[in-house]
Amino acid sequence: MQFNRRHFLQLSALAGGGLALGLYEHPLAYALGGGQPERRDPALSPRAFIQIEPSGKITIMAKNPEIGQGVRTMLPMLIAEELDVEWSQVHVEQASLDETAYGAQFAGGSMSTPLNWDPLRHVGAAGRQLMITAAAKRWSVPEKECTTGAGRVLHAASQRSLGYGELAEAAARLPLPDPESLQMKDPKEYKIIGKFTKGVDNPALLTGKRLFGIDVKVPGMLHAVYQKCPVFAGKVKQANLDEIKSMPGVRHAFIVDGSVRGGPVVDSDPGLEPGVAIVAETWWQAQAARRALKVEWDTAAGSPTAATQSSKGFDDKAAQLLKQPPGHTLRSYGDVDAACKSAAKIVEASYAYPFLVHGALEPQNTTAHFDNGKLEIWTTSQAPGGGRGYVAREMGIDAANITIHLTRTGGGFGRRLMNDYMLEAAWISREVKAPVQVLWSREDDFAHDAYRPAGWHGLKAGVDAQGHIVAWRQHMVTFGSGEKTAPSAGISADEFPSGRVPNYFIGHSTMPLWLRTGPMRAPGANAICFVGQSFLDEVARAAGRDPLDLQLELLAAKEIPMPGEQRNRGGYIFKPERLAGVLQQVAEESGWKNRKRQKGTGMGIAAYACHLGYCAEVAEVTVNASNQVRVTRVWAVTDVGHQIINPSGARAQVEGAIVEGMGHTMLEVTMAGGQMAQSNYLQYRLPRMRQTPEMHISFRLTQNPPTGLGEPALPPVIPAICNAIFDATGKRVRTLPLSKSGFSWA
Amino acid sequence: MPLKLTVNNEAVQVDAAPDTPLLWVLREHLGLAGTKYGCGVGACGACTVIVDGRAVRSCLTRTGSVVGSKITTVEGLSADGTHPLQKAWDEVDVAQCGYCQAGQMMTAAALLEQTPHPTDADIESAMDGNLCRCGTYARIREAIHRAAGQRMPALRD
Ligand code: FES
Ligand code: FES
């Protein structure tokens, strides 16, 4: 992956004498702008990243969706640092969707940091350079005699200084500096990057101001609920619409046929789901009316077997498939069977994990206003650009006629990379010819997620007399058809320890699923890491080795080159020394080697690399006589490059990942009769404050470009906890949630 | 018949059915959007407000049942963020997505009114019904300790 993209800048004068500086990424701007970067009217310039007004007011635009990962604060910090202003001088504003101007605007894959670290610092540095040039001209002094600080240009020799606001008008008329010539600060000079920086929305948030999608209010807006079939893509045969229409506040009630595209593998965003829309003056009226709604569903409309699907059925089928050879080989080298035959020890085990819902606290919602062929949208989407394309295609509207505003979002976790709620709002607004806010109930959310897919794995390892792994075989049973896996249900051909053991095989078998699956924070990794790192712990124990030593040995092994593409984790080169580095550090910080043996307590270690980050975690648990588990302490060491941009936000991401990872060990949704059995948080007991462990979080700084933190700290905590439970009890957790392995939470 | 309520020390009247949950009266009739909907069944705490000094789930509170009561929402802590809980929440930088935090602060406000110097165990038991999907619990606990013992406006008459 290339992070040092070429990009170029756009400079314009603000009406009233200020300056606006935008940045266009190359080649994205060319691609989207039809070959030429557009010059836009600066008076309407919300597209600029920086606006400096003559009064000295400095506005920096936050480009990406804020879903709780802190980018509304962190990305503007990058610009402010290189612009060389005080953070307290900066006013941050959320940009609307305009990927021509801002580059990609999405919240996913922990990509905000790696994709923006260089470009946004360039924007800031270009702004600073313009100020210097303008001041030097005004004073007729050489530029190199000028310095900056706190939003002013200074000329020490003559003891003169000018504020950026005073220079903005002149700076706006200058030619742009060549991006290649821009001077970035030495990190030692950072005043903003690397400092604990509070969320820019704190004041509004803590006083209850309207910030979120659910808070959007536009004149004349109606409120809608949209009842879909509890079985995926079932159609409405009939509904008591007349009765519903007569209920208090209800303005419209109608059936939507929908357009879900079927197939053996269901897309994350497969088209509009059928349902009944109820539109009322208030949301509560729409929701109250829904309680009286009686729908006769055709549950087989989407798929003839839809209503027969069940978790039990999937478990049985998976058990069968695991007994057979894998349907598809993903990677195979050496001779696993022969190596196992001559191995001193064989370890074999099966692992399984369930479906999960994202359950972000703000229910799905979008406000849409379709008027005269144009569509205006206020949304919580994590992928608004994708959403615009989706809505355009499904509704037959030119994407250029769709404007999208980004609200703050009450949690994403990957769920809002899908845009179903956006499509529903747009569709209903067009039907009723009024601005409409669609808000899902929590029950809608549980019944219509793009679920974290369940999965099943059979593993086998051979260990020689010295305790080295000589063979590794992994067979995953997952959802899909033939070689194709359902969204977020696949596994890498070079899953660890591919290339680090002499004989290796990995393959999968697929079974059909008529349901949406999709990415959930650290998709793939959050489940695969549980399996791989638990099994590795098992192998180490069987071989009489410390799991840390065994893992470090594998990471130090000379790599066996693979045919074709480089061994990768999500498209980038895996650096074993980085994973070894965080493992060694977490072992030191947690006192792993000198840990005390005490009855009923245990420690577990695990590590993983995903989404460009490397993380190792140690969990300490106590387990009482009735098998109740308490996670008492967790140590996490993460390597995301040479710079932590906002220590507050960065730590928050790790804290959140640890708590969420604990949730993975406790939670499941199960299917019966084609429907999810759990419908609200009452049956999906998220971790609580009293279960939160003491957390020791640190970052290992390495000479690598800064990368994201949304995901990497999540996967390892799950096997770390399970390995700690084994350490405490001698019982191996091979099936999640823990209740299926005989444990519960204290 | 309009319902007469006292919200954030202000007397207001709303034209809503008495069985409308207080949550939706606050949000949709009174325009007080700080109180959030998360589950509608009393399982998440996002909708927590204070009624006569006690933290209640407004999604399960019939508005007709709080006529004459003193209701405080997050907007009623202070409009300018100067309430000790708001200040502590800001200084600790508690929020991730922030969606649960109004409810968290309201439960904390009721706790501190009862127990000005709570222990960790007091805090954990009072906050047990407030979910934070983002996992900000450690910071919430820290912020409550930070605000504890400071003078706060009374939440009941
Ligand atoms: S919305 Fe009231 S407790 Fe969840
Ligand atoms: S901060 Fe997101 S739910 Fe609590």
Side-chain angles (χ1 to χ4, degrees):
Chain A
M1 191 160 297
Q2 268 247 311
F3 296 128
N4 291 307
R5 295 196 189 176
R6 283 183 55 83
H7 45 261
F8 50 95
L9 299 154
Q10 187 211 18
L11 176 66
S12 19
L14 270 185
L19 159 153
L21 182 62
L23 167 141
Y24 293 83
E25 272 184 78
H26 184 80
L28 191 67
Y30 274 117
L32 298 176
Q36 276 299 316
E38 290 170 56
R39 297 293 299 200
R40 292 193 165 100
D41 179 358
L44 314 163
S45 191
R47 298 180 176 94
F49 275 100
I50 304 170
Q51 296 179 35
I52 300 175
E53 292 168 33
S55 66
K57 183 178 177 196
I58 297 167
T59 303
I60 294 181
M61 301 306 283
K63 66 187 277 276
N64 282 2
E66 173 61 66
I67 59 170
Q69 84 285 41
V71 293
R72 195 178 273 186
T73 304
M74 181 275 276
L75 294 176
M77 286 169 69
L78 300 177
I79 297 176
E81 179 68 66
E82 294 292 345
L83 184 59
D84 212 14
V85 295
E86 301 270 339
W87 183 243
S88 59
Q89 293 175 288
V90 172
H91 171 76
V92 172
E93 240 175 67
Q94 177 67 50
S96 290
L97 179 67
D98 184 348
E99 295 188 311
T100 312
Y102 295 112
Q105 289 174 275
F106 68 97
S110 296
M111 291 309 284
S112 284
T113 298
L115 288 180
N116 292 289
W117 167 254
D118 277 340
L120 293 194
R121 285 183 309 127
H122 273 112
V123 169
R128 174 175 173 271
Q129 180 56 49
L130 286 165
M131 293 299 153
I132 289 177
T133 306
K137 274 209 166 118
R138 174 112 27 118
W139 295 326
S140 303
V141 300
E143 285 182 17
K144 61 178 184 321
E145 290 179 10
C146 297
T147 57
T148 56
R152 300 186 76 77
V153 183
L154 317 156
H155 186 247
S158 62
Q159 294 202 322
R160 281 177 293 184
S161 81
L162 282 166
Y164 284 3
E166 299 167 271
L167 292 164
E169 189 173 357
R173 300 186 204 298
L174 293 171
L176 272 170
D178 172 9
E180 306 297 320
S181 74
L182 292 173
Q183 290 292 313
M184 297 299 138
K185 281 186 184 174
D186 181 326
K188 285 199 276 297
E189 297 166 26
Y190 284 162
K191 296 194 184 75
I192 298 171
I193 293 176
K195 302 289 177 302
F196 181 102
T197 306
K198 299 184 294 192
V200 293
D201 281 341
N202 281 4
L205 182 72
L206 300 175
T207 52
K209 302 283 183 318
R210 292 179 185 273
L211 275 174
F212 295 92
I214 192 177
D215 302 334
V216 169
K217 224 178 146 176
V218 300
M221 179 176 101
L222 298 173
H223 296 263
V225 296
Y226 187 52
Q227 178 66 46
K228 296 173 287 262
C229 181
V231 175
F232 177 61
K235 283 201 170 196
V236 183
K237 279 191 189 156
Q238 55 179 21
N240 58 337
L241 296 181
D242 290 336
E243 186 186 341
I244 298 302
K245 280 184 201 156
S246 70
M247 296 193 62
V250 174
R251 296 274 198 90
H252 310 267
F254 55 93
I255 292 167
V256 178
D257 279 342
S259 59
V260 173
R261 285 171 295 280
V265 172
V266 179
D267 241 29
S268 296
D269 263 334
L272 185 64
E273 277 192 61
V276 176
I278 304 173
V279 185
E281 282 151 31
T282 67
W283 187 79
W284 179 252
Q285 287 169 326
Q287 175 72 356
R290 162 150 66 168
R291 291 187 183 157
L293 180 67
K294 295 188 189 74
V295 188
E296 194 187 326
W297 297 103
D298 174 6
T299 55
S303 152
T305 55
T308 65
Q309 298 184 118
S310 71
S311 292
K312 168 89 172 55
F314 294 134
D315 282 338
D316 292 349
K317 175 84 182 159
Q320 242 178 45
L321 288 169
L322 278 179
K323 288 198 195 104
Q324 298 164 15
H328 309 91
T329 299
L330 297 167
R331 177 77 72 211
S332 175
Y333 66 82
D335 187 337
V336 169
D337 289 338
C340 280
K341 265 198 201 105
S342 57
K345 215 170 226 141
I346 299 290
V347 186
E348 262 185 292
S350 304
Y351 281 78
Y353 45 82
F355 289 107
L356 294 175
V357 293
H358 295 80
L361 204 59
E362 180 182 11
Q364 312 309 329
N365 66 76
T366 287
T367 304
H369 187 193
F370 183 86
D371 187 25
N372 213 358
K374 298 217 190 280
L375 186 56
E376 189 165 11
I377 286 174
W378 295 260
T379 189
T380 54
S381 177
Q382 291 179 246
R388 170 154 58 191
Y390 186 50
V391 170
R393 279 193 306 281
E394 299 296 325
M395 292 180 58
I397 305 173
D398 184 348
N401 286 330
I402 305 178
T403 304
I404 298 189
H405 308 289
L406 310 180
T407 67
R408 191 180 176 90
T409 296
F413 313 107
R415 173 60 181 85
R416 293 185 232 255
L417 291 166
M418 279 64 74
N419 285 292
D420 38 356
Y421 44 87
M422 194 196 289
L423 176 58
E424 291 171 7
W427 192 280
I428 295 170
S429 171
R430 184 167 69 178
E431 288 293 311
V432 305
K433 304 184 176 58
V436 169
Q437 181 175 93
V438 167
L439 170 64
W440 290 23
S441 68
R442 180 57 54 198
E443 289 79 8
D444 291 328
D445 186 50
F446 271 64
H448 303 281
D449 200 10
Y451 302 89
R452 192 291 293 269
W456 300 261
H457 296 251
L459 295 112
K460 184 174 181 178
V463 182
D464 69 14
Q466 289 75 46
H468 306 302
I469 298 179
V470 292
W472 182 287
R473 182 181 189 280
Q474 184 160 2
H475 175 192
M476 178 190 197
V477 173
T478 185
F479 297 108
S481 169
E483 267 181 271
K484 192 168 178 225
T485 50
S488 301
I491 190 166
S492 162
D494 288 308
E495 191 51 47
F496 192 79
S498 168
R500 314 195 161 271
V501 291
N503 303 282
Y504 178 85
F505 175 93
I506 188 165
H508 67 47
S509 303
T510 53
M511 56 182 165
L513 173 69
W514 179 247
L515 187 72
R516 291 196 305 157
T517 57
M520 179 160 165
R521 195 176 189 176
N526 61 39
I528 307 284
C529 170
F530 154 66
V531 173
Q533 290 287 297
S534 298
F535 186 63
L536 188 67
D537 194 81
E538 242 185 289
V539 173
R541 306 280 183 161
R545 311 260 325 252
D546 183 314
L548 170 68
D549 295 342
L550 180 61
Q551 179 131 268
L552 290 174
E553 175 181 299
L554 290 169
L555 288 167
K558 192 166 153 19
E559 226 172 293
I560 300 165
M562 290 301 129
E565 241 181 81
Q566 276 272 18
R567 180 175 353 290
N568 68 69
R569 300 279 172 103
Y572 74 104
I573 311 291
F574 171 62
K575 293 191 178 162
E577 66 279 9
R578 295 183 73 182
L579 199 56
V582 289
L583 266 167
Q584 276 155 335
Q585 190 170 329
V586 84
E588 245 163 65
E589 291 184 4
S590 64
W592 174 260
K593 287 279 171 189
N594 310 315
R595 63 194 190 277
K596 286 200 200 68
R597 310 292 320 170
Q598 261 176 358
K599 201 173 158 355
T601 74
M603 277 170 96
I605 191 166
Y608 208 67
C610 68
H611 296 87
L612 309 176
Y614 297 76
C615 182
E617 292 176 65
V618 167
E620 178 192 70
V621 302
T622 61
V623 185
N624 68 17
S626 3
N627 277 339
Q628 288 174 314
V629 178
R630 172 178 291 282
V631 182
T632 46
R633 289 188 285 181
V634 172
W635 292 261
V637 178
T638 312
D639 170 2
V640 283
H642 65 76
Q643 180 68 57
I644 296 299
I645 299 165
N646 180 2
S648 179
R651 290 182 63 90
Q653 286 306 294
V654 180
E655 291 163 11
I658 290 170
V659 174
E660 181 164 355
M662 289 177 60
H664 281 238
T665 69
M666 305 154 76
L667 297 166
E668 67 173 331
V669 284
T670 54
M671 195 187 232
Q675 312 185 15
M676 285 304 174
Q678 295 74 13
S679 63
N680 207 317
Y681 295 128
L682 290 170
Q683 303 104 21
Y684 195 77
R685 308 277 295 171
L686 289 168
R688 277 146 214 278
M689 183 187 283
R690 66 183 151 80
Q691 289 155 335
T692 306
E694 192 181 305
M695 295 182 272
H696 301 268
I697 292 164
S698 45
F699 297 102
R700 180 178 170 81
L701 303 180
T702 58
Q703 285 316 304
N704 292 285
T707 52
L709 262 167
E711 348 232 358
L714 190 147
V717 74
I718 303 165
I721 291 170
C722 297
N723 294 340
I725 291 174
F726 179 85
D727 194 44
T729 64
K731 285 183 215 148
R732 180 61 63 182
V733 175
R734 298 196 184 91
T735 305
L736 290 180
L738 287 177
S739 56
K740 290 238 173 84
S741 299
F743 295 96
S744 63
W745 285 81
Chain B
M1 265 283 279
L3 302 169
K4 292 185 181 167
L5 303 173
T6 306
V7 181
N8 301 332
N9 289 324
E10 227 180 281
V12 293
Q13 297 200 5
V14 290
D15 214 355
D19 64 350
T20 308
L22 177 60
L23 168 63
W24 298 103
V25 165
L26 294 170
R27 289 188 60 84
E28 303 199 297
H29 294 260
L30 296 172
L32 295 170
T35 307
K36 296 293 189 258
Y37 164 66
C39 70
V41 298
C44 77
C47 66
T48 306
V49 299
I50 295 175
V51 176
D52 295 332
R54 284 187 344 115
V56 305
R57 305 291 182 239
S58 65
C59 68
L60 293 182
T61 305
R62 293 170 66 255
T63 304
S65 73
V66 292
V67 168
S69 298
K70 179 174 173 169
I71 300 162
T72 309
T73 69
V74 64
E75 290 90 344
L77 290 181
S78 87
D80 56 1
T82 51
H83 187 281
L85 280 167
Q86 291 167 321
K87 276 170 47 188
W89 246 251
D90 177 51
E91 285 158 13
V92 177
D93 201 28
V94 171
Q96 287 185 36
C97 82
Y99 194 79
C100 70
Q101 300 298 347
Q104 307 277 5
M105 284 195 293
M106 298 319 283
T107 304
L111 165 69
L112 292 183
E113 175 141 307
Q114 305 276 323
T115 315
H117 293 279
T119 61
D120 273 0
D122 294 335
I123 294 173
E124 284 168 14
S125 108
M127 304 303 293
D128 202 49
N130 283 80
L131 299 180
C132 176
R133 174 65 177 85
C134 300
T136 64
Y137 297 122
R139 293 192 193 203
I140 294 172
R141 192 167 42 205
E142 187 187 336
I144 294 174
H145 280 307
R146 186 179 284 230
Q150 298 184 43
R151 269 200 48 185
M152 305 198 188
L155 299 168
R156 67 175 113 208
D157 289 322

